[in-house]
Amino acid sequence: MVEQTLMVQKDDASTSEQIARLGSPYTDLCRWAAHHDLSNALELAYWSLGLSHRIVAIGNMVDEFHHPEAKAILASWRQDPIITLLDDLAKAIRLDPRINRQYPAMPHLGSAEKTKYKYKTGGSLKEQTFLITLITHPLP
């Protein structure tokens, strides 16, 4: 397994390297994140959610972090630097109308089984895409 680094510098070469890692669908988001000093947060969200060049679902995290219940939980967890990074990223994306429209949440497909199948095609559901699947189609 290739170990990923979370330290992304704010320069053109580092942004180009991040685009190469995340895939061309993330080009504008990587550039936007570099401009807003959120490249590390984007990298963290990408790898922890199991996203890929085929699964561009950062908007699902943004939507989930905006739910009232999630806001209360995140506020109490903000002393953790990882939570702070992810929360800052979600808030910044939501506040930017252009980037928020460009990277919307992927809808669930009507049933948990269909949603699981959609994300399973992007990698191992159990080992890679479990969190994004759960965010997209949460259990009751």
Side-chain angles (χ1 to χ4, degrees):
M1 176 179 236
V2 176
E3 190 173 317
Q4 299 297 327
T5 178
L6 291 179
M7 296 306 296
V8 179
Q9 301 300 315
K10 188 178 177 182
D11 60 44
D12 290 339
S14 295
T15 301
S16 294
E17 290 170 6
Q18 187 177 44
I19 292 166
R21 276 192 308 278
L22 276 53
S24 61
Y26 291 90
T27 298
D28 291 340
L29 187 57
C30 289
R31 289 183 179 138
W32 173 88
H35 179 75
H36 290 87
D37 200 25
L38 291 166
S39 296
N40 292 335
L42 175 58
E43 193 94 9
L44 175 63
Y46 179 90
W47 294 111
S48 62
L49 292 173
L51 303 179
S52 70
H53 68 281
R54 293 177 5 152
I55 301 174
V56 185
I58 195 77
N60 295 65
M61 183 192 79
V62 172
D63 284 359
E64 186 63 30
F65 276 35
H66 188 67
H67 290 196
E69 330 59 73
K71 285 182 178 183
I73 292 167
L74 291 166
S76 69
W77 288 358
R78 277 201 56 98
Q79 71 276 7
D80 184 296
I82 303 260
I83 298 301
T84 300
L85 277 172
L86 293 173
D87 193 29
D88 289 349
L89 175 67
K91 286 176 180 174
I93 290 172
R94 189 158 194 85
L95 290 173
D96 187 306
R98 181 187 65 84
I99 210 76
N100 195 32
R101 273 192 311 274
Q102 190 172 348
Y103 293 92
M106 291 175 68
H108 65 76
L109 298 176
S111 75
E113 284 305 313
K114 288 179 183 177
T115 302
K116 283 178 9 182
Y117 180 76
K118 174 174 72 171
Y119 287 125
K120 194 183 294 187
T121 61
S124 166
L125 178 66
K126 187 176 177 183
E127 296 172 3
Q128 181 180 346
T129 59
F130 178 77
L131 288 177
I132 193 62
T133 303
L134 187 61
I135 287 171
T136 302
H137 198 105
L139 298 172

